[in-house]
Amino acid sequence: MATALVTGGTSGIGAAFARALAARGDDLVLVARDAARLEQVATELRSRYGVTVETLTADLAVRADVDRVAERLTDRDRPVDLLVNNAGFGLRGPLTAEDLSAFEHGFDVMVHAVMVLAAAAARAMTTRGHGAIVNVGSTAGYVTMGGYSALKAFVGVYTESLANELRGTGVTATLLAPGWVRTEFHERADIGTGSIPGFLWLQADDLVAACLRDVAAGKVISIPSKRYKALIFAARHAPRPLVRRASAALSSSRH
Ligand SMILES: NC(=O)c1ccc[n+]([C@@H]2O[C@H](COP(=O)([O-])OP(=O)(O)OC[C@H]3O[C@@H](n4cnc5c(N)ncnc54)[C@H](OP(=O)(O)O)[C@@H]3O)[C@@H](O)[C@H]2O)c1
């Protein structure tokens, strides 16, 4: 019997991970800020799939809360076999703003918490000789679309480095780099989606199923769908001035 801890497991991609993992019989630890919603999601999953679902109310921008989640990951009596570092949100606004608190908040949740939780999980998992870590980055990490891109680029390089460090331990690290997915993400961040063509939207359940197959295969990078594999290939191989120009055009079309 395996146990998975999913941050941001109450909505969007995280909720899709929770459903898929419960459907295959994994017990869950779900982490998010909204306690009532956590309990509601946990109750649904318990009754539908018959698995054990713990809830941990935590704000991953608060360091003491991150430490509490890390303690749960390193609890020897209740081992966690899979960590999904998924919690996150969209960011917009100029990098030159006087008030950078939104980016700092993004840094705390999408960089600091990811690093602390992955390190805690990796220490516990390597002691047992098995386990898997999924860090949710983004296609945005391969282009230059502001603070969000910069944070997600960190998640990408960090995860590949972690995978190197973990080689031979029985523990894997996988970067999930989704493109646009219909979740609460865009509405929460007040990001316009009107200019995004329909064929670029992904379904959370599909990309989670593909990611879990990639994790089982020990893949370090999971890019959902052929179209995003092609787009990321282009972003990685095109001349950088072209990538910057395309990123700037795309950013301005969405404001
Ligand atoms: N949707 C996309 O197009 C897209 C594309 C690429 C990558 N991603 C990435 O996918 C991940 C999940 O996003 P999503 O689209 O599924 O968004 P979502 O539907 O808005 O879900 C976000 C989840 O994260 C939790 N969360 C947010 N801030 C938190 C905090 N400070 N502490 C703890 N939990 C927090 C939320 O719960 P509470 O509000 O209750 O805390 C919620 O469960 C993010 O890392 C995002 O950057 C999304």
Side-chain angles (χ1 to χ4, degrees):
M1 183 73 77
T3 299
L5 186 149
V6 183
T7 69
T10 53
S11 171
I13 296 169
F17 266 109
R19 280 192 300 276
L21 293 164
R24 76 180 192 188
D26 286 9
D27 290 332
L28 296 171
V29 185
L30 302 182
V31 179
R33 290 167 301 180
D34 182 337
R37 192 170 180 186
L38 266 174
E39 206 38 62
Q40 184 200 331
V41 171
T43 303
E44 279 167 22
L45 292 169
R46 285 180 200 119
S47 75
R48 184 156 179 204
Y49 299 106
V51 295
T52 300
V53 185
E54 282 173 61
T55 59
L56 249 179
T57 307
D59 181 345
L60 296 175
V62 174
R63 296 202 170 197
D65 283 15
V66 177
D67 292 343
R68 253 187 323 114
V69 180
E71 274 167 33
R72 175 63 189 84
L73 286 164
T74 51
D75 185 338
R76 284 162 190 256
D77 300 327
R78 296 179 296 162
V80 172
D81 307 284
L82 169 67
L83 163 66
V84 184
N85 255 326
N86 159 80
F89 44 83
L91 292 172
R92 50 189 300 220
L95 294 168
T96 48
E98 197 173 327
D99 177 6
L100 291 174
S101 55
F103 293 126
E104 285 163 1
H105 185 219
F107 175 88
D108 287 340
V109 176
M110 291 184 274
V111 172
H112 173 262
V114 167
M115 265 192 330
V116 172
L117 300 184
R123 286 195 302 277
M125 289 170 181
T126 48
T127 307
R128 296 193 299 273
H130 79 94
I133 296 165
V134 174
N135 293 328
V136 181
S138 173
T139 303
Y142 292 96
V143 293
T144 59
M145 292 175 67
Y148 182 75
S149 278
L151 299 182
K152 291 300 190 181
F154 173 92
V155 174
V157 175
Y158 169 77
T159 307
E160 288 190 80
S161 305
L162 182 64
N164 280 346
E165 202 173 307
L166 290 172
R167 195 173 299 138
T169 64
V171 181
T172 59
T174 301
L175 167 72
L176 168 58
W180 281 296
V181 193
R182 288 201 193 280
T183 66
E184 295 173 15
F185 177 95
H186 301 93
E187 201 185 328
R188 284 190 197 223
D190 195 23
I191 294 171
T193 56
S195 61
I196 300 167
F199 77 95
L200 284 180
W201 286 101
L202 299 167
Q203 296 297 325
D205 291 321
D206 296 342
L207 69 92
V208 163
C211 179
L212 291 174
R213 284 195 298 273
D214 287 341
V215 170
K219 288 196 183 162
V220 175
I221 300 180
S222 178
I223 299 171
S225 85
K226 284 191 179 136
R227 51 204 186 280
Y228 277 101
K229 283 187 174 78
L231 281 171
I232 288 178
F233 183 88
R236 290 182 58 227
H237 293 88
R240 285 311 273 180
L242 192 62
V243 172
R244 289 195 291 275
R245 272 205 300 281
S247 300
L250 200 53
S251 298
S252 58
S253 76
R254 292 167 63 214
H255 289 304

